[in-house]
Amino acid sequence: MDITTGTRYSPNYTSRLNPIAPFKVYTPNGVLSVEEVDYRKTGPKFIKQITEFFCENFSKDTNDPGWLQYNDFTKKEKKRFIDNFKTYYDYSINDKGNQHLTLLVARDSQKNIQGACLSFGCVDVPRAKYNTLYIDSLAVNKKFRGCNLAKIMLEKSIEASKYIFTDIFLTGEKVADGFYKKLGFRDLNPENPSELKVINYVAKQRQDYPKYTSFLTRVIQEKKPRWYDICAQSKKLQN
């Protein structure tokens, strides 16, 4: 597998974060063109495409019954399910209040989405939005796995954020623990009082934790205070 990096976007293009230079990933199954989404053009058609892509992948790589049931849905049931998720992705991607957002999309020669990585400032934990990069969604179609595409997109997103955020947080499927831990992530530690407060706070919002989901973190800036120590000071995390 080879990667080539193109030139940066035109100065006329304004990213929410910093434009990530388009690049190509050469795989045994063809060349993939990866670029940051132009947020001025994320209309209903694209939102539907990216939602379907994530839902199809999440339902295949899990042991969570909540996601596994998607595979047995009728066409009508899938449409209803996707429509609900479309609202989430539409809001997240087009939320101009979250300036530090990056959405990388990998397309094949037919312009079909084969991989995507969505990240932004963590909004689900008080005081985390401006110090913690949240990896919201990361997926690659089965045909293009084993080519490090997920790793490349993730690391590109982190690299673009390294002067903005001090840490990374994600809520990942347990079946993907090995992938993330090879990249330097670790579980939030319940024996650390600050981390326990974050765990308890986020767990209230997640019915899939801890049986199917892991809470993982990774340091970006070693010399800065850790995000969970800052968040633990919020009154919302005291209970």
Side-chain angles (χ1 to χ4, degrees):
M1 180 200 69
D2 295 316
I3 306 172
T4 60
T5 304
T7 58
R8 294 186 71 80
Y9 286 121
S10 161
N12 295 324
Y13 171 67
T14 303
S15 167
R16 298 255 188 84
L17 187 60
N18 295 307
I20 294 176
F23 59 95
K24 296 184 184 298
V25 177
Y26 294 84
T27 80
N29 292 311
V31 181
L32 296 177
S33 299
V34 188
E35 63 181 1
E36 186 176 357
V37 166
D38 185 337
Y39 306 108
R40 299 168 301 183
K41 300 178 181 178
T42 53
K45 182 178 180 180
F46 172 76
I47 295 298
K48 181 174 183 292
Q49 289 176 336
I50 199 70
T51 303
E52 288 178 338
F53 169 78
F54 281 132
C55 286
E56 287 293 333
N57 276 280
F58 294 161
S59 66
K60 300 295 190 299
D61 297 298
T62 184
N63 56 6
D64 184 347
W67 273 109
L68 288 173
Q69 65 178 345
Y70 176 90
N71 298 299
D72 297 321
F73 280 168
T74 64
K75 186 176 181 180
K76 186 176 181 180
E77 289 172 329
K78 282 189 176 182
K79 182 181 182 302
R80 188 182 306 117
F81 189 91
I82 289 170
D83 283 344
N84 289 333
F85 266 82
K86 273 197 311 184
T87 301
Y88 170 77
Y89 283 115
D90 189 19
Y91 175 79
S92 297
I93 295 169
N94 293 304
D95 178 14
K96 295 181 180 179
N98 196 337
Q99 293 297 307
H100 305 307
L101 178 144
T102 300
L103 175 55
L104 288 178
V105 174
R107 296 181 184 272
D108 61 21
S109 59
Q110 303 301 311
K111 305 299 182 183
N112 297 311
I113 298 175
Q114 299 295 348
C117 181
L118 173 64
S119 61
F120 44 77
C122 181
V123 295
D124 290 335
V125 184
R127 300 190 183 181
K129 184 175 181 179
Y130 299 107
N131 57 37
T132 310
L133 177 67
Y134 182 66
I135 308 300
D136 179 89
S137 300
L138 174 62
V140 172
N141 278 340
K142 187 174 182 179
K143 181 179 178 180
F144 289 94
R145 292 177 191 171
C147 300
N148 286 329
L149 179 60
K151 176 183 176 181
I152 293 166
M153 291 190 296
L154 178 61
E155 295 296 352
K156 287 280 187 180
S157 299
I158 295 171
E159 176 69 17
S161 308
K162 66 181 181 180
Y163 297 117
I164 298 168
F165 300 108
T166 62
D167 297 86
I168 312 168
F169 174 56
L170 66 86
T171 55
E173 294 288 325
K174 280 191 176 296
V175 295
D177 276 3
F179 167 77
Y180 288 112
K181 289 180 179 178
K182 284 181 181 178
L183 298 179
F185 287 83
R186 66 166 178 83
D187 292 288
L188 282 178
N189 181 9
E191 295 185 4
N192 179 311
S194 294
E195 295 181 57
L196 178 60
K197 288 182 180 180
V198 172
I199 291 171
N200 290 338
Y201 183 84
V202 179
K204 291 177 182 178
Q205 309 167 43
R206 304 290 305 233
Q207 295 181 344
D208 53 358
Y209 179 84
K211 189 171 184 179
Y212 305 112
T213 302
S214 299
F215 294 166
L216 304 173
T217 188
R218 172 177 151 182
V219 174
I220 300 178
Q221 298 187 48
E222 289 279 359
K223 296 181 180 180
K224 295 293 182 69
R226 298 280 60 84
W227 72 283
Y228 40 77
D229 289 328
I230 295 172
C231 295
Q233 301 306 310
S234 170
K235 292 181 179 179
K236 293 183 179 180
L237 271 69
Q238 299 306 309
N239 297 325

